[in-house]
Amino acid sequence: MKHNLLIVVMFIFSTYHAQSCKYTFIGEVTDFHDGSPMSGATVHIESLNRYTTADINGKFSIKNLCNGKLILVISHVGCETNRIEIDIIGDTFKKIDMEHHLEELDEVSLRNKGTKTTKTAQETVIKDDVLERYSSLSLGDALKEVPGVSSINTGNTIVKPMINGLHSSRILILNNSVRLQDQEWGIEHAPNIDINSANQISVIKGAGALAYGGDAIGGVVVIKPSKIVQKDTLFGRTILGAQTNGRGYNISSTLNKNYSSGWFTQLQGSYRKNGDFHAPDYNLTNTGLDSKGFSARFGKTAFQSGFEAYYSYLNNEIGILSASHIGSVFDLKRAINTGQPTVIKDFSYDINAPKQDITHHLAKASYYKRFSNFGKVTFQYDYQNNRRLEFDVRIGDRKNTPAIDLTLQTHTILADLNLDANLNRKFNFGIMGRYQDNFANPDTGVRRLIPDYDKYDFGVYTTTEWRIKNDLVVDTGIRYDFNRIDAKKYYRKSRWEERGYDDDFSDIIIEELPTQYLTNPIFDYHNLSASVGAKFYLNDKSYVIGNYALSSRPPNPSELFSDGLHHSAARFELGDLRFDKEVSNRVSASYNYNTPKFNLSAEIFYNKIEDFIYLIPFDFISTIRGPFPFWEYQQANTELYGIDINATYNLTNNWQLQNRTSFIRGYDLENHIPLIEMPPFNTMNQVTYKNTTWHNFSASLKSEWVSEQNEYPDFNFEVTDQLTGEKCEIDISTPPPAYHLLHFYSEATFNLSEKTSLNVSFGINNLLDTSYRNYLNQLRYFADDLGRNVTLQIQLNY
């Protein structure tokens, strides 16, 4: 009886099982963005090891299925492979969205330098293989790889990027989608960026990316971390470097852990130490650097949604050439006439005053969500804390007290909507709110150069990209920004009346003291920015780009409120409360020709800037220490124009020639004089040998020629020596002569295992140990630039 019952149960089960494997699954593969059918998509039924293909309507069917789990792997040309799990409960239908990447394929530079941010602006991408060479240097040094980008320096460790003659707050720097806020006003304020945390850098000349800001009159620098790979993997790299000049050493290490589910973690840290650098003929005393950096990323990335949390820390202690600390303009005159530093000591790793000590914290949280047949929504919050200490040479109880002590805190909220359902016509909308608080410590014993202030920013923008034809792309955008600065500042009564503020700003006085006024200046600025650009493909080898950008920049706190001795610059600086916003109208065009043998990029631009604010030497001011140089911010209508050329020619499979040439001119149209501190004509020629069959070996010799700047304003002034009664002319305008430098670089990569490689690089900068002075180096009055520097770097990829 028991056996009969068992037979019946088994019969019923087998009958049910046979009936349950007669179901059909029907799938429809569509484009996520616009819902169009993805005909020809390949469908692999992983659990059954069967294949099928979607028809012209994007549909496919799988018959004779049982209830349960069905795993499908769907692929299509131009799409990311999609692996999905489906529950079969009877006959089942499911619509499957695929992400199509035609838009990303279009954005890849024809010269294979990486993914571009914008199609119609003048943009150059620097990839990680180039950035790795600059592990021991700064962001400003690396950006010189881009034609038209130079730097304005205070020595060799404070390097500030300059794009087509413009720098500081006219250049917007984004680090992992966060706009850098680090008191970028002064020339001697270098960006607080650890270049070892960057995987790719894009340089956009002019205001070609309105989503980032409307005040980027000079351009935008976009720093991107490594792209997250949705794959179960653990990898990293460690870089060790050493250099003879400054007896420096550096280490950087990055570790990445990714999962196929989209979860990821990245840790990165770096340390760099340099002692006194040296010129060809003498030591540059107190020019060392101690730099520590750390960053961490964590989150989950997937096509439809994801989030990221990011934190970075950077601390730089920077020595400033001892000889640049002057007691009066007579010290400056002696330094110029002597031709070498007045202070030369033996090599040391010690960093003494004058010096800077800057600490920067950045924290970011972001989230995005994609919606089918609609687009992508992104939210972001970021916080930055920047502490800047500037130490003057002081004695007594305040020997170790900074002369300038500023803390800048910034909170920013962003929301962005990208409508990309129609790949031929995309729209982007965004809104931004920001609050910033600057605190100037009053306990320094020195009159505060920059006051306490609160700053409020609000921005809204829209951009559109329109593919009119296969060979023509047009994008346009418009942005509105509101800025408010609410400050509290003390003015000496004598200065207040001298500037005529008693007539124009008497209503902002909130307290009168015996010798000073406490004022509450509040300024509101309404800024409108716009851009339009077009990219037209002449044929499969060449294209042209035309671009017009209107941008406006409100004056920064330094330009408005400076009133005192800027110790790290050894000069008095004076701002003006009457300044209006700058308005830039920039027109540019470029021609690009690309073949396997020859590549050419030629860019021209014209930029007319109304109410351009710039700092010029004006006179001298008497102090108890003697007369000091007196620099004043002024405003005038100006024009800048120039051309940038980048060309490479492959002589053979192993030999390549490259040329980068930049020419720029800038003029004050009201006073009919050249603008101060414009880059002179420069050209770089490089010959490179590559042998990919021998450990991917390469060696290059670079020739760098910088001409003498023959277009400059004459701001020399006379001062009378109170002891002798003699008049002395202080020549601070005449540029140094032209110079020519040779640089050598070589590298090879050795595969240690299937997943481990060792890259070894060797270089010599200033190969001939040439003595020279750079016109754009603020310390050129006191010393020559760096002499020969031999570098060795080892990179382990694992």
Side-chain angles (χ1 to χ4, degrees), residues 389-450:
L389 306 175
E390 296 186 8
F391 294 83
D392 191 16
V393 177
R394 309 171 78 176
I395 59 176
D397 295 339
R398 295 189 181 273
K399 180 179 180 180
N400 297 317
T401 302
I404 292 180
D405 184 348
L406 300 175
T407 300
L408 184 70
Q409 298 186 76
T410 308
H411 303 264
T412 305
I413 299 176
L414 302 168
D416 182 88
L417 171 61
N418 185 16
L419 303 179
D420 57 2
N422 183 351
L423 293 179
N424 291 322
R425 188 72 180 267
K426 292 186 253 184
F427 294 90
N428 202 60
F429 302 92
I431 188 169
M432 177 275 295
R434 179 180 295 121
Y435 168 70
Q436 189 172 85
D437 168 66
N438 182 76
F439 173 72
N441 189 345
D443 298 326
T444 61
V446 176
R447 183 177 180 81
R448 289 181 288 183
L449 181 67
I450 302 295

Side-chain angles (χ1 to χ4, degrees), residues 632-647:
E632 184 179 58
Y633 285 100
Q634 294 190 358
Q635 198 164 37
N637 293 334
T638 61
E639 66 175 5
L640 297 93
Y641 57 86
I643 183 170
D644 302 321
I645 296 175
N646 190 10

Side-chain angles (χ1 to χ4, degrees), residues 180-184 189-192 314 357-362 383-389 406-410 437-439:
L180 188 65
Q181 303 285 342
D182 64 347
Q183 303 144 331
E184 73 278 11
H189 295 191
N192 288 296
L314 182 66
D357 193 332
I358 304 104
T359 302
H360 189 85
H361 300 270
L362 184 156
Y383 167 76
Q384 295 178 71
N385 184 304
N386 196 83
R387 178 82 182 276
R388 166 172 285 272
L389 306 175
L406 300 175
T407 300
L408 184 70
Q409 298 186 76
T410 308
D437 168 66
N438 182 76
F439 173 72

Side-chain angles (χ1 to χ4, degrees), residues 680-681 704-709 735-741 770-773:
F681 172 82
E704 179 184 357
W705 166 264
V706 178
S707 69
E708 181 176 342
Q709 177 58 276
Y739 60 88
H740 175 245
L741 305 176
T770 302
S771 296
Y772 71 100
R773 300 197 181 194

Side-chain angles (χ1 to χ4, degrees), residues 133 686-687 689 697-703 741-747 761-768 789-791:
R133 304 178 187 178
Q686 179 173 297
V687 56
Y689 171 79
F697 173 79
S698 69
S700 62
L701 183 64
K702 180 191 296 185
S703 166
L741 305 176
L742 290 178
H743 312 289
F744 173 79
Y745 180 82
S746 64
E747 65 176 336
S761 62
F762 174 79
I764 307 176
N765 294 318
N766 193 359
L767 183 65
L768 302 180
N789 186 21
V790 180
T791 63

